Amino acid sequence: MLYKRSSDAYNRGSERIVSQKVRVEEEVEAYPTESVDLRCEFIDGGGRTKLTQVSWIWEPIDGQRDNIAVYHPIYGQSFPNPSFKDRVVFLHNTLENPSIRISNLKMSDTGRYTCEYATYPSGNEQGTTTLIMLVYSTEETSCLNVNNNSSPDRSKPKNSANVVTVQAETKSVVVATCEAMDGKPAATIKWLGSVGGNHTTNTTNGPDGTVTVRSEYRLVPTAADNGREVTCMVEQKTQERPWAHTVQLSVEYPPSVSIEGYDNNWYVGRSDAVLLCMASGNPVPTTITWTAASGAMPDTVVVSGNKLTVRKVDDAVNTTFICEVKNKHGASRHQITTIVIEALEDPSSGGVVAGAVIGSLLALLLVIALIAVLLTRSRRQQRRGFPSSGDSIATGSGGSNGGDYGNKARLLFSGTGNNSSKNGTGANNNGPIYTYREGCDATGTLTEKANDFHTHHLHHPAVGNPPSAHDILLSGEIDEVERRKFELDDSMEEEYDRFGGGNMLPPAYHVHRGHGGEEELDVYLDDDMESQRDGSVISRTAIYV
């Protein structure tokens, strides 16, 4: 370890070194009969080291080690070396800061002083300070021998700096002092700092020709100045370098307070809602009181120091909470109004509502689909030409079907039974047969033609021209079973709609001879569509009327 000599006087070794985790001053100087402080401090940023014991070991020469002071947190202090007994004291009764003071110094006290810790788990940690004892020069010694009441021509001052505890106020006061006592010649004092204060200096002459210089640092103290630093620097000819010491300002002020923790989400049923009363002041506030503007505290509220806890939020805590703190300089209070809102909606009930809405939509879609099916079936029946009750398909207006087909109403299925007539009148078949003729005005009319059709039995050959399927249908002399053979199924209806809709009758019906020689009716459903020059498509077999 390297040591740097210094000519500073009592407590002049302001520079400190750190050996591992132990902080000490590298070197101090003192005169006989004076006192000296040997500072030691344990630095452990992580706080993982356990301190067991601390000892001060004096090494007057290399190889010789004597314990002069021991401190144990359980067994207390011990001073085993008789040479230092009653001259050594611990300045702080803690392991973290076991600084000592040696009084009534002797020239033989020179040497190295090691502050050594016994720790776990890292083992021993130590730092060493060198004490240098100063002597007067020959001239100074002669002067002292001639007149014991006089001092040498050159005398190092005893320097010190102290903080003055003040209260925050609006006028300038002394907050720190610095003194260079009994120096010859007089010392010069300077202040270093950024707090924005100023200083005054005065001197006092001693009877022995020494001069004491005292400086006071002043400012208008505020709460923000508490803990800020200023440095006193002393310069004097007998000092090889300036002496400097830093102090922290101590400004006391009444407390200030705020309440934290309220998040504007206190709903009915919420548990463990917390408010914190945050106070600051110097000295630290010692009294914290919670009250409610509504009177007594609600039953669900628990107060512990600066913490207020609501175990279960209900309408009783819909109030204003007040926190008041005090220290010796005054009191301060802060309040906050808590608003209780309705409980949050249960997610399960939301699911039930959503399910009900979806179910209602599905039911509505089902009803719409059913209505669509019924309308489709009704339209198909109308397209097939089934008349409604009391309608006539042989008139110019078309009856109930006239809206769909106009004067071109189909003459199929004009009757509803074996007694139906060919003209849909329910009479016999000897009446006239009506056929459709396109008029000049494009309105179309029904004209009568002679009824040359006679009843034929399908099992006997016809005489002359055989009746067509159309005539058979119009005759109304086939039973219901035979009539259904001529009805169109849905697929035929679709084809019918594709190629003409209401302007085209179903495909032609033809009689052919089946097994056994009997005549049967067939429907020709071949792909017999033919394109026209005007772009339309018509069937070669369908009957147009």
Side-chain angles (χ1 to χ4, degrees), residues 17-38:
I17 61 171
V18 177
S19 174
Q20 298 179 357
K21 298 180 180 180
V22 180
R23 177 182 293 173
V24 297
E25 292 178 327
E26 179 179 348
E27 185 179 278
V28 295
E29 298 175 346
Y31 285 93
T33 72
E34 293 183 344
S35 298
V36 66
D37 291 347
L38 303 181

Side-chain angles (χ1 to χ4, degrees), residues 31 109 137 141 157 281 323 373 410 426-427 475:
Y31 285 93
D109 291 337
S137 64
T141 304
C323 176
V373 170
R410 288 179 288 180
S475 70

Side-chain angles (χ1 to χ4, degrees), residues 267-283:
Y267 54 86
V268 175
R270 176 176 173 177
S271 59
D272 294 333
V274 175
L275 296 178
L276 295 176
C277 184
M278 309 303 293
S280 63
N282 186 24

Side-chain angles (χ1 to χ4, degrees), residues 91-163:
L91 298 178
H92 307 282
N93 203 30
T94 63
L95 282 175
E96 290 77 10
N97 191 353
S99 300
I100 62 173
R101 174 174 293 166
I102 304 176
S103 303
N104 195 20
L105 287 171
K106 305 174 182 178
M107 291 299 298
S108 59
D109 291 337
T110 188
R112 290 182 296 184
Y113 291 80
T114 300
C115 179
E116 184 175 272
Y117 279 93
T119 68
Y120 179 86
S122 59
N124 289 349
E125 300 282 354
Q126 64 182 22
T128 302
T129 299
T130 301
L131 173 62
I132 301 174
M133 297 301 297
L134 301 177
V135 295
Y136 294 112
S137 64
T138 304
E139 181 181 357
E140 293 172 343
T141 304
S142 299
C143 292
L144 285 174
N145 291 333
V146 171
N147 188 356
N148 291 330
N149 294 325
S150 64
S151 63
D153 293 335
R154 298 177 62 186
S155 176
K156 292 183 180 180
K158 298 176 182 178
N159 303 321
S160 63
N162 298 283
V163 65

Side-chain angles (χ1 to χ4, degrees), residues 243-538:
W243 176 92
H245 185 71
T246 300
V247 296
Q248 289 186 333
L249 301 184
S250 176
V251 181
E252 295 184 347
Y253 53 93
S256 60
V257 62
S258 63
I259 297 177
E260 299 179 359
Y262 181 60
D263 58 1
N264 295 299
N265 191 29
W266 282 25
Y267 54 86
V268 175
R270 176 176 173 177
S271 59
D272 294 333
V274 175
L275 296 178
L276 295 176
C277 184
M278 309 303 293
S280 63
N282 186 24
V284 176
T286 55
T287 303
I288 300 177
T289 305
W290 284 96
T291 57
S294 56
M297 277 290 184
D299 295 336
T300 59
V301 173
V302 177
V303 174
S304 177
N306 73 325
K307 183 178 181 181
L308 182 148
T309 303
V310 180
R311 297 299 185 192
K312 201 76 170 180
V313 174
D314 55 18
D315 289 336
V317 297
N318 197 36
T319 184
T320 298
F321 291 103
I322 304 168
C323 176
E324 184 176 20
V325 297
K326 296 180 180 179
N327 67 6
K328 70 179 185 179
H329 294 295
S332 180
R333 63 189 312 186
H334 185 72
Q335 66 182 34
I336 188 169
T337 299
T338 57
I339 300 176
V340 177
I341 61 178
E342 294 297 326
L344 297 178
E345 182 178 318
D346 186 0
S348 60
S349 63
V352 171
V353 173
V357 172
I358 294 175
S360 301
L361 291 176
L362 291 177
L364 180 61
L365 291 176
L366 183 61
V367 171
I368 293 174
L370 181 60
I371 293 174
V373 170
L374 294 177
L375 289 176
T376 302
R377 289 177 61 86
S378 175
R379 289 180 184 147
R380 287 180 177 175
Q381 289 177 356
Q382 292 176 1
R383 289 173 181 173
R384 290 175 180 175
F386 293 127
S388 300
S389 180
D391 290 343
S392 172
I393 65 172
T395 63
S397 63
S400 64
N401 294 323
D404 293 333
Y405 302 104
N407 288 337
K408 293 184 178 183
R410 288 179 288 180
L411 302 181
L412 293 175
F413 314 118
S414 61
T416 60
N418 292 334
N419 296 326
S420 298
S421 69
K422 61 191 173 185
N423 291 319
T425 62
N428 58 46
N429 296 320
N430 295 325
I433 296 176
Y434 293 95
T435 60
Y436 177 79
R437 292 289 186 270
E438 192 79 52
C440 298
D441 57 356
T443 60
T445 60
L446 291 174
T447 60
E448 181 181 350
K449 73 173 183 176
N451 182 6
D452 59 350
F453 174 72
H454 300 282
T455 303
H456 294 278
H457 196 283
L458 295 178
H459 295 286
H460 299 281
V463 179
N465 293 328
S468 66
H470 185 230
D471 293 334
I472 294 173
L473 288 173
L474 293 178
S475 70
E477 295 186 357
I478 60 177
D479 57 20
E480 185 66 23
V481 175
E482 291 296 330
R483 180 177 297 279
R484 290 177 180 173
K485 295 181 181 179
F486 297 97
E487 294 182 1
L488 298 177
D489 59 15
D490 292 342
S491 61
M492 296 169 62
E493 181 68 17
E494 293 174 0
E495 291 295 325
Y496 169 70
D497 290 338
R498 283 179 55 196
F499 302 106
N503 296 328
M504 184 184 78
L505 286 176
Y509 300 90
H510 296 276
V511 179
H512 71 91
R513 195 168 300 279
H515 298 288
E518 297 181 353
E519 293 181 352
E520 298 178 356
L521 295 178
D522 251 346
V523 181
Y524 287 87
L525 299 177
D526 297 335
D527 187 8
D528 60 347
M529 306 309 295
E530 181 177 62
S531 300
Q532 303 299 308
R533 291 182 179 180
D534 59 358
S536 62
V537 179
I538 65 173

